[in-house]
Amino acid sequence: MIGVFDSGVGGMSILRVLRKVLPRENFIYLADQAHVPYGPRPLLEVRHFSEQITRALLAQGVDLIVVACNTASAAALHYLRATFPDTPFVGMEPAVKPAAEHTHSGVVGVLATPATFQGKLYASVVERFAQGVTILQDTCAGLVEQIEAGALDAPATRAILERALSPMLAQNIDTIVLGCTHYPFVRPLIEEIAGPQVRVIDPAPAIARQTAHLLGQYHLGETGAPTGGIRYVTTGGAASFGAAVRRLMGESTPEILTWHWQEDDASLSP
Ligand code: DGL
């Protein structure tokens, strides 16, 4: 079984592709909606949440974990690999490399959270792959909250994106990197604002390929007929999460579970 987690609904932009590429696998998807958004929080706090979520997922018997959150990957990926050396992890990093390879104008826009921009992972990706390319960044303040609320096409959502993208477009970007897993859900709006000459990069297919590769390498893949099921878990409210799963994953009757953070030791128990 594969564990997938994010601060909220964003990781479902990865899960929907994982499900297509790996139809035999069983998934457990955890949305830490008790703490969303992660982006404005200190990296150490996000690392702590990520560790507790990892422990809870491992207790459920997952063999591999996809950290379907750029912020949690920035805060915790190295730490998780060192702390749980027997578990393969797939993590996110903003897709600066393919963007730098494909840009013609030499100007690339990256949309990600404040914590992702602060992390060493992002700095190292820019240093390694974006030499000679101008990178323009924006944190799209408030956008994660709009997506959590299901306001994918609301005037306020459009206003956030127009404010972020207008200065980038004025500086001739031809590529936009979606550096937060929530943002693929507003891709139609981003494409409408940016126009057809701007290419938008969603890392989900590359993450799914990497997951398939690791499953093979560790001999963890399910064989036999496609039976893959998904259990959806939230640390927040089950009703609103269920509505989001129906809307974003097209599931008619998803199984929704709630897990609780224990106030005394800040651990997570199913
Ligand atoms: N979806 C997340 C990411 O990829 C986190 C967004 C947030 O909680 O701020 O960064």
Side-chain angles (χ1 to χ4, degrees), residues 4-19 27-32 66-70 92 147-148 180-185 202 204 207 232 241 248-249:
V4 182
F5 76 89
D6 178 45
S7 60
V9 303
M12 287 193 277
S13 70
I14 305 295
L15 182 66
R16 64 185 177 178
V17 182
L18 284 170
R19 176 169 70 174
F27 296 93
I28 179 163
Y29 180 86
L30 185 133
D32 186 13
V66 180
V67 184
C69 175
N70 289 78
M92 312 286 311
I147 295 167
E148 284 290 314
C180 168
T181 54
H182 279 72
Y183 299 169
F185 290 121
D202 172 0
I207 295 299
Y232 294 93
F241 185 53
L248 301 175
M249 295 296 291

Coordinates of all heavy atoms in Angstrom, one line a residue, residues 4-19 27-32 66-70 92 147-148 180-185 202 204 207 232 241 248-249:
V4 N 0.1 8.6 0.8 CA 0.3 9.9 0.1 C -0.2 10.9 1.1 O -1.3 10.8 1.7 CB -0.5 9.9 -1.1 CG1 -0.3 11.2 -1.9 CG2 -0.2 8.7 -2.1
F5 N 0.6 12.0 1.4 CA 0.1 13.0 2.2 C 0.4 14.4 1.8 O 1.3 14.7 1.0 CB 0.5 12.8 3.7 CG 1.9 13.2 4.0 CD1 2.3 14.5 4.5 CD2 3.0 12.2 4.0 CE1 3.6 14.8 4.8 CE2 4.3 12.6 4.3 CZ 4.6 13.9 4.7
D6 N -0.4 15.3 2.3 CA -0.3 16.8 2.0 C -0.9 17.5 3.2 O -1.6 16.9 4.0 CB -1.0 17.1 0.7 CG -1.0 18.6 0.3 OD1 0.1 19.2 0.5 OD2 -2.0 19.1 0.0
S7 N -0.8 18.8 3.2 CA -1.4 19.6 4.2 C -3.0 19.6 4.0 O -3.7 19.9 5.0 CB -1.0 21.1 4.1 OG -1.3 21.6 2.8
G8 N -3.4 19.3 2.8 CA -4.8 19.4 2.6 C -5.2 18.6 1.3 O -4.7 17.5 1.1
V9 N -6.0 19.3 0.4 CA -6.5 18.6 -0.8 C -5.4 18.6 -1.9 O -5.6 17.9 -2.9 CB -7.8 19.3 -1.3 CG1 -8.8 19.3 -0.2 CG2 -7.5 20.7 -1.8
G10 N -4.4 19.4 -1.8 CA -3.4 19.6 -2.9 C -2.8 18.3 -3.4 O -2.7 18.1 -4.6
G11 N -2.5 17.4 -2.5 CA -1.8 16.2 -2.9 C -2.7 15.3 -3.8 O -2.2 14.4 -4.5
M12 N -4.0 15.6 -3.9 CA -4.8 14.8 -4.8 C -4.5 15.1 -6.2 O -4.9 14.4 -7.1 CB -6.3 15.1 -4.5 CG -6.7 14.4 -3.2 SD -8.5 14.3 -2.9 CE -8.8 15.9 -2.2
S13 N -3.8 16.3 -6.5 CA -3.4 16.5 -7.9 C -2.3 15.5 -8.3 O -2.1 15.2 -9.5 CB -2.8 17.9 -8.1 OG -1.6 18.1 -7.4
I14 N -1.6 14.9 -7.3 CA -0.6 13.9 -7.5 C -1.4 12.5 -7.5 O -1.1 11.7 -8.4 CB 0.5 13.9 -6.4 CG1 1.2 15.2 -6.3 CG2 1.5 12.7 -6.6 CD1 1.9 15.6 -7.5
L15 N -2.2 12.3 -6.5 CA -2.9 11.1 -6.4 C -3.7 10.7 -7.6 O -3.8 9.5 -8.0 CB -3.9 11.2 -5.1 CG -4.7 9.9 -4.8 CD1 -3.8 8.8 -4.3 CD2 -5.8 10.2 -3.7
R16 N -4.4 11.7 -8.3 CA -5.2 11.4 -9.4 C -4.3 10.8 -10.6 O -4.8 9.9 -11.3 CB -6.0 12.6 -9.9 CG -5.2 13.7 -10.4 CD -6.1 15.0 -10.7 NE -5.2 16.1 -11.1 CZ -5.7 17.3 -11.5 NH1 -7.0 17.5 -11.5 NH2 -4.8 18.2 -11.8
V17 N -3.1 11.2 -10.6 CA -2.2 10.7 -11.7 C -1.6 9.3 -11.2 O -1.5 8.4 -12.0 CB -1.1 11.7 -12.0 CG1 -0.2 11.1 -13.1 CG2 -1.7 13.0 -12.5
L18 N -1.3 9.2 -9.9 CA -0.8 7.9 -9.4 C -1.8 6.8 -9.7 O -1.4 5.7 -10.0 CB -0.6 8.0 -7.9 CG 0.7 8.8 -7.4 CD1 0.6 9.0 -5.9 CD2 2.0 8.0 -7.8
R19 N -3.1 7.1 -9.4 CA -4.1 6.1 -9.6 C -4.2 5.6 -11.0 O -4.4 4.5 -11.3 CB -5.4 6.8 -9.2 CG -6.6 5.8 -9.4 CD -7.8 6.4 -8.7 NE -8.4 7.6 -9.3 CZ -9.5 8.1 -9.0 NH1 -10.2 7.6 -8.0 NH2 -10.0 9.2 -9.6
F27 N -4.1 2.8 -2.0 CA -3.5 4.0 -1.5 C -4.3 4.4 -0.2 O -5.4 4.1 0.0 CB -3.8 5.2 -2.5 CG -3.0 5.0 -3.8 CD1 -3.6 4.4 -4.9 CD2 -1.7 5.5 -4.0 CE1 -3.0 4.2 -6.1 CE2 -1.1 5.3 -5.2 CZ -1.7 4.7 -6.2
I28 N -3.5 5.1 0.6 CA -4.1 5.8 1.7 C -3.7 7.3 1.6 O -2.5 7.5 1.5 CB -3.8 5.2 3.1 CG1 -4.4 5.9 4.2 CG2 -2.3 5.0 3.3 CD1 -4.5 5.1 5.5
Y29 N -4.6 8.2 1.5 CA -4.3 9.6 1.3 C -4.6 10.3 2.6 O -5.8 10.3 3.1 CB -5.2 10.2 0.2 CG -4.9 11.6 -0.1 CD1 -3.8 12.0 -0.9 CD2 -5.6 12.6 0.6 CE1 -3.5 13.4 -1.1 CE2 -5.3 14.0 0.4 CZ -4.3 14.3 -0.4 OH -3.9 15.6 -0.6
L30 N -3.6 11.0 3.1 CA -3.9 11.8 4.4 C -3.8 13.3 4.1 O -2.8 13.8 3.6 CB -2.9 11.4 5.5 CG -3.2 12.1 6.8 CD1 -3.2 11.2 7.9 CD2 -2.3 13.3 7.0
A31 N -4.8 14.0 4.4 CA -4.9 15.5 4.3 C -4.8 16.1 5.7 O -5.7 15.8 6.5 CB -6.1 15.9 3.7
D32 N -3.7 16.8 6.1 CA -3.6 17.3 7.4 C -4.3 18.7 7.5 O -3.7 19.7 7.8 CB -2.1 17.4 7.8 CG -1.9 17.9 9.2 OD1 -2.8 17.8 10.0 OD2 -0.7 18.3 9.5
V66 N 4.6 8.8 -0.6 CA 4.7 10.0 -1.5 C 4.4 11.2 -0.7 O 3.3 11.4 -0.2 CB 3.8 9.8 -2.7 CG1 4.0 11.1 -3.6 CG2 4.0 8.5 -3.5
V67 N 5.4 12.1 -0.5 CA 5.2 13.3 0.2 C 4.7 14.3 -0.9 O 5.4 15.0 -1.6 CB 6.5 13.9 0.8 CG1 6.3 15.2 1.6 CG2 7.2 12.8 1.7
A68 N 3.3 14.3 -1.0 CA 2.7 15.0 -2.2 C 2.5 16.5 -1.8 O 1.4 17.0 -2.0 CB 1.4 14.3 -2.5
C69 N 3.6 17.1 -1.3 CA 3.5 18.5 -0.8 C 4.9 19.1 -0.9 O 5.8 18.5 -0.4 CB 3.1 18.4 0.7 SG 3.1 20.0 1.5
N70 N 5.0 20.1 -1.7 CA 6.3 20.7 -1.8 C 6.8 21.3 -0.5 O 8.0 21.3 -0.2 CB 6.3 21.9 -2.8 CG 6.1 21.4 -4.3 OD1 5.0 21.0 -4.6 ND2 7.1 21.4 -5.0
M92 N 8.6 16.0 -3.5 CA 8.4 17.0 -4.5 C 9.6 18.0 -4.5 O 10.0 18.4 -3.4 CB 7.1 17.8 -4.3 CG 5.9 17.0 -3.9 SD 5.2 16.2 -5.4 CE 5.1 17.5 -6.6
I147 N -8.4 27.2 -2.6 CA -8.5 25.9 -3.2 C -9.1 24.9 -2.2 O -9.9 24.1 -2.5 CB -7.1 25.4 -3.8 CG1 -6.7 26.3 -4.9 CG2 -7.2 24.0 -4.2 CD1 -5.3 26.2 -5.4
E148 N -8.6 25.1 -0.9 CA -9.2 24.2 0.1 C -10.7 24.4 0.2 O -11.5 23.5 0.5 CB -8.6 24.6 1.5 CG -7.2 24.0 1.7 CD -7.1 22.5 1.9 OE1 -7.9 22.0 2.6 OE2 -6.3 21.9 1.2
C180 N 3.6 24.1 -6.0 CA 2.7 23.7 -4.8 C 1.6 22.8 -5.4 O 1.0 23.1 -6.4 CB 2.1 25.0 -4.2 SG 0.7 24.6 -3.0
T181 N 1.4 21.7 -4.7 CA 0.5 20.6 -5.3 C -0.9 21.1 -5.3 O -1.8 20.4 -6.0 CB 0.7 19.3 -4.6 OG1 0.5 19.5 -3.1 CG2 2.0 18.7 -4.8
H182 N -1.3 22.1 -4.6 CA -2.6 22.6 -4.7 C -2.9 23.3 -6.1 O -4.0 23.3 -6.5 CB -2.9 23.7 -3.6 CG -3.2 23.2 -2.2 ND1 -2.3 22.6 -1.4 CD2 -4.4 23.1 -1.6 CE1 -2.9 22.2 -0.3 NE2 -4.2 22.5 -0.4
Y183 N -1.9 23.9 -6.6 CA -2.1 24.8 -7.8 C -2.5 24.1 -9.1 O -3.2 24.8 -9.9 CB -0.8 25.6 -8.0 CG -0.4 26.5 -6.8 CD1 0.8 27.2 -6.8 CD2 -1.3 26.7 -5.7 CE1 1.1 28.0 -5.7 CE2 -1.0 27.5 -4.7 CZ 0.3 28.1 -4.7 OH 0.6 28.9 -3.6
P184 N -2.2 22.8 -9.3 CA -2.8 22.2 -10.6 C -4.3 22.3 -10.6 O -4.9 22.3 -11.7 CB -2.3 20.8 -10.5 CG -1.0 20.9 -9.8 CD -1.3 21.9 -8.7
F185 N -5.0 22.4 -9.5 CA -6.4 22.5 -9.5 C -6.9 23.9 -10.0 O -8.1 24.0 -10.3 CB -7.0 22.2 -8.1 CG -6.9 20.8 -7.7 CD1 -6.2 20.4 -6.6 CD2 -7.4 19.8 -8.5 CE1 -6.0 19.1 -6.2 CE2 -7.2 18.4 -8.2 CZ -6.6 18.1 -7.0
D202 N 3.2 21.0 -14.6 CA 2.7 20.3 -13.4 C 3.6 19.0 -13.2 O 3.7 18.2 -14.2 CB 1.2 19.9 -13.8 CG 0.6 19.0 -12.7 OD1 1.3 18.6 -11.7 OD2 -0.6 18.6 -13.0
A204 N 3.1 16.3 -11.6 CA 2.5 15.0 -11.3 C 2.9 13.8 -12.1 O 3.2 12.8 -11.6 CB 1.0 15.2 -11.3
I207 N 6.3 12.6 -11.0 CA 6.2 12.0 -9.6 C 5.6 10.6 -9.7 O 6.1 9.6 -9.1 CB 5.4 12.9 -8.7 CG1 6.0 14.2 -8.5 CG2 5.1 12.2 -7.4 CD1 7.4 14.2 -7.8
Y232 N -9.4 7.6 2.2 CA -9.1 9.0 2.4 C -9.2 9.4 3.9 O -10.2 9.0 4.5 CB -10.1 9.9 1.6 CG -10.1 9.7 0.1 CD1 -10.8 8.8 -0.5 CD2 -9.2 10.5 -0.6 CE1 -10.7 8.6 -1.9 CE2 -9.1 10.4 -2.0 CZ -9.9 9.4 -2.6 OH -9.8 9.3 -4.0
F241 N -14.2 17.5 3.7 CA -13.2 16.8 3.0 C -13.8 15.8 2.0 O -13.4 15.7 0.8 CB -12.2 16.0 3.9 CG -11.1 15.4 3.2 CD1 -10.3 16.0 2.4 CD2 -10.9 14.0 3.4 CE1 -9.2 15.4 1.7 CE2 -9.8 13.4 2.8 CZ -9.0 14.1 1.9
L248 N -12.8 16.8 -6.5 CA -11.5 16.8 -7.2 C -11.1 15.4 -7.7 O -10.3 15.3 -8.6 CB -10.5 17.3 -6.2 CG -10.7 18.7 -5.6 CD1 -9.7 19.1 -4.6 CD2 -10.7 19.7 -6.7
M249 N -11.6 14.3 -7.1 CA -11.2 13.0 -7.5 C -12.3 12.3 -8.3 O -12.2 11.2 -8.8 CB -10.8 12.1 -6.3 CG -9.6 12.6 -5.6 SD -8.1 12.5 -6.5 CE -7.8 10.7 -6.7

